[in-house]
Amino acid sequence: MKATGLKRRVLLQGGSIALMLGVHQIARGASILAVRVWPAADYTRVTIESDARLNSQQLVVGSPPRLAVDIEGIDLNTELRDLVGKIKPGDPFINGLRIGQNAPKVVRIVFDLKQTVRPQVFSLAPVAAYKHRLVLDLYPEQAIDPMEALIAERLRDAPKNGSSTSAPSNGPAVASAPPAAPSPGPAPVRPAMPPVDPLGDLMAQQAMRPGPSTPAPALPPGGMPLPMPPAPPPVVAAAPPARPVTPPGPPPRATASRTDRIIIVALDPGHGGEDPGAIGPNGTREKDIVLQVAHRLRDRINAASVNGSPMRAFLTRDADFFVPLGVRVQKARRVQADLFVSIHADAFTTPAARGASVFALSQSGASSSAARWLANKENDADKVGGVNVGTHEAQVQRALLDMSTTAQINDSLKLGGAMLGEIKGIGARLHKAQVEQAGFAVLKAPDIPSVLVETAFISNPEEEANLRRADYQENLADALMRGIQRYFAQNPPLARSRQL
């Protein structure tokens, strides 16, 4: 009987200890595993990764602008203290931060801001290599307009180039198409209204804004002002009796009140920020390689023209930050892109897979099981990169991505075929000899021919080494540029009047 009572006492004590440990465990809360900061002009993201879900409260304070975030159930540790050193001077939104144990089990982070922000704070469940994540996205109060950014870049470059079709002397031969033959006379001006031209309309609005007679010396962090045109020459009071007829000259260059027809190619470097994409056996990250290739291709596009009309590249991301799939499509549509080229580097479960591929959209199922597998993998990028599903973008995505047309897919197949032939021409191995099709979310712009280029298998050691080489990236950018030029040679872009 004594033995039985002793056992019962031990069990009760053990249960009490277990209960106490459980309470202590709850009180201890989560452990912070890592902190990361992704600054970009679009927005800055701060990620706090932990082994359990974090609860937080935030408060925006103005004059000077600050954001206070209280994270509950944690203690200040080394990983959180490291957040201070991760803020860079060039961050467009964060000037600095302070962090401390505000109360027992409550850590407060105060962000000193460079401008007023619209914060989004949300949690992400574990996915891929990540545990729980608390995400703080700091957006500008006035969102950056991709169209306005493209105009500002175009106007900044126009005076440097001297004319809209000039090309730098150090560019590769493929960078510029031959100049158009001079026409016998100026093209007639139609009295009818031109087609809808968002780029021209916005430039007209910019030109009508009041401002100083000289350009502003610098751009403010949250704005995108446009340089003013040079002052016109003085006007003589009395009109001359007669004016000689001047022979037509080259087309005028772009100004704040007039622009030429610009052929816009949207380049979409895949992944970015929290989403590294595929990772090669030697640690090469897909997001870094595709951004480098996109920059090289951008330089070629910006130095080229189509039948005398200058080309301009627009990047859906030009730095290491994450852009949701639907936003990539929205950006391309906002600038009224003529083409959309998404750049990736493939990966597979075995290192034997190799070769480049080009994909277009399919509305009726994938062209192969491999294409379906890849599309599903790429479409999961939002889960890894981190999307706030509470915002309206999710509904906008679903509405947008069901509108693709047969004509868009047919044009995409033509563009993909031209690119595939040029990639083969540089000696690169092709994974498939024809353009494949699948339901890639990023290719669903209803009015833009769109392709996704898998440049190589980064999971293959040999192809990973090639992708890291500058000369291979240059050859790859040359091939993609030639493919774009081949497509436009056979499918001239629609005429759009941009004379304002």
Side-chain angles (χ1 to χ4, degrees):
M1 190 71 178
K2 287 184 178 180
T4 304
L6 182 61
K7 287 181 181 178
R8 184 178 299 143
R9 191 177 299 114
V10 171
L11 287 172
L12 288 172
Q13 289 175 347
S16 300
I17 292 171
L19 183 60
M20 291 172 63
L21 284 173
V23 173
H24 177 73
Q25 183 69 20
I26 292 172
R28 183 189 67 83
S31 294
I32 304 302
L33 305 176
V35 293
R36 295 177 290 274
V37 181
W38 309 100
D42 287 31
Y43 71 103
T44 287
R45 168 167 290 189
V46 178
T47 304
I48 302 173
E49 187 177 359
S50 59
D51 61 359
R53 181 185 172 91
L54 297 175
N55 294 319
S56 67
Q57 297 182 12
Q58 58 277 348
L59 175 67
V60 178
V61 182
S63 187
R66 286 161 289 160
L67 171 66
V69 180
D70 285 348
I71 305 175
E72 303 168 355
I74 62 170
D75 293 316
L76 186 60
N77 65 358
T78 304
E79 285 74 17
L80 278 173
R81 287 191 180 95
D82 288 345
L83 186 58
V84 176
K86 293 182 181 290
I87 305 302
K88 305 301 181 186
D91 191 305
F93 303 98
I94 303 176
N95 195 40
L97 65 83
R98 292 158 283 153
I99 187 167
Q101 194 78 44
N102 186 55
K105 303 301 178 185
V106 178
V107 170
R108 172 167 291 180
I109 306 174
V110 178
F111 295 90
D112 297 312
L113 304 173
K114 296 179 178 178
Q115 58 177 290
T116 306
V117 300
R118 293 185 299 106
Q120 292 185 14
V121 182
F122 56 97
S123 296
L124 296 172
V127 63
Y130 293 126
K131 301 294 185 182
H132 293 269
R133 287 176 288 172
L134 178 67
V135 178
L136 295 84
D137 286 347
L138 306 181
Y139 288 90
E141 198 168 41
Q142 181 66 39
I144 292 177
D145 184 353
M147 179 78 78
E148 190 167 348
L150 185 65
I151 293 171
E153 178 187 294
R154 172 68 183 153
L155 296 179
R156 283 195 304 268
D157 289 352
K160 298 182 200 173
N161 294 339
S163 77
S164 59
T165 58
S166 64
S169 59
N170 58 350
V174 72
S176 177
S183 59
V189 179
R190 296 189 174 210
M193 293 294 292
V196 177
D197 183 5
L199 182 57
D201 293 344
L202 191 59
M203 290 191 74
Q205 295 171 18
Q206 293 285 353
M208 290 186 291
R209 289 181 184 174
S213 59
T214 57
L219 296 176
M224 190 65 70
L226 298 177
M228 297 295 293
V235 179
V236 180
R243 300 177 66 179
V245 177
T246 305
R253 71 188 185 191
T255 69
S257 61
R258 181 187 61 239
T259 182
D260 38 22
R261 165 66 167 114
I262 303 175
I263 311 300
I264 300 172
V265 180
L267 301 180
D268 175 48
H271 310 282
E274 287 283 290
D275 178 15
I279 299 178
N282 291 310
T284 308
R285 301 181 302 185
E286 177 184 4
K287 67 173 183 177
D288 300 327
I289 295 298
V290 298
L291 184 60
Q292 293 165 12
V293 173
H295 283 159
R296 297 180 192 278
L297 181 55
R298 175 193 61 188
D299 295 341
R300 286 156 173 75
I301 291 172
N302 288 350
S305 62
V306 175
N307 296 328
S309 296
M311 299 181 70
R312 173 64 53 177
F314 169 78
L315 270 64
T316 59
R317 72 173 180 97
D318 57 1
D320 187 12
F321 67 100
F322 177 72
V323 181
L325 298 175
V327 175
R328 296 169 188 260
V329 178
Q330 290 172 9
K331 284 185 170 187
R333 297 192 77 206
R334 177 67 184 110
V335 300
Q336 203 177 15
D338 295 277
L339 298 178
F340 181 91
V341 181
S342 191
I343 305 173
H344 292 256
D346 209 347
F348 197 61
T349 53
T350 64
R354 60 188 303 167
S357 306
V358 179
F359 295 85
L361 182 67
S362 171
Q363 289 180 314
S364 58
S367 57
S368 69
S369 57
R372 184 183 306 107
W373 175 85
L374 181 63
N376 290 337
K377 183 169 71 74
E378 297 293 357
N379 291 347
D380 280 344
D382 280 357
K383 297 179 181 178
V384 181
V387 172
N388 184 6
V389 295
T391 60
H392 73 283
E393 278 84 357
Q395 289 76 26
V396 175
Q397 280 185 48
R398 284 193 291 270
L400 171 67
L401 301 183
D402 290 332
M403 295 162 47
S404 298
T405 64
T406 301
Q408 181 257 18
I409 292 175
N410 289 338
D411 286 339
S412 301
L413 290 170
K414 295 175 185 177
L415 173 62
M419 285 187 161
L420 204 59
E422 295 297 338
I423 293 173
K424 183 179 180 181
I426 65 172
R429 180 168 178 168
L430 300 183
H431 187 66
K432 290 285 186 179
Q434 68 280 344
V435 180
E436 293 206 81
Q437 293 180 260
F440 291 91
V442 80
L443 300 183
K444 293 187 177 181
D447 44 8
I448 307 172
S450 305
V451 295
L452 185 145
V453 180
E454 294 285 0
T455 54
F457 274 87
I458 201 170
S459 53
N460 179 285
E462 180 183 351
E463 294 198 340
E464 178 192 23
N466 286 340
L467 288 172
R468 294 170 66 102
R469 285 173 27 216
D471 63 328
Y472 188 84
Q473 291 185 14
E474 294 281 350
N475 291 337
L476 189 58
D478 283 343
L480 297 177
M481 184 67 211
R482 285 193 296 267
I484 291 171
Q485 290 176 318
R486 273 183 55 189
Y487 171 81
F488 278 133
Q490 299 170 1
N491 305 272
L494 296 175
R496 295 187 189 128
S497 172
R498 295 194 189 275
Q499 298 299 317
L500 308 178

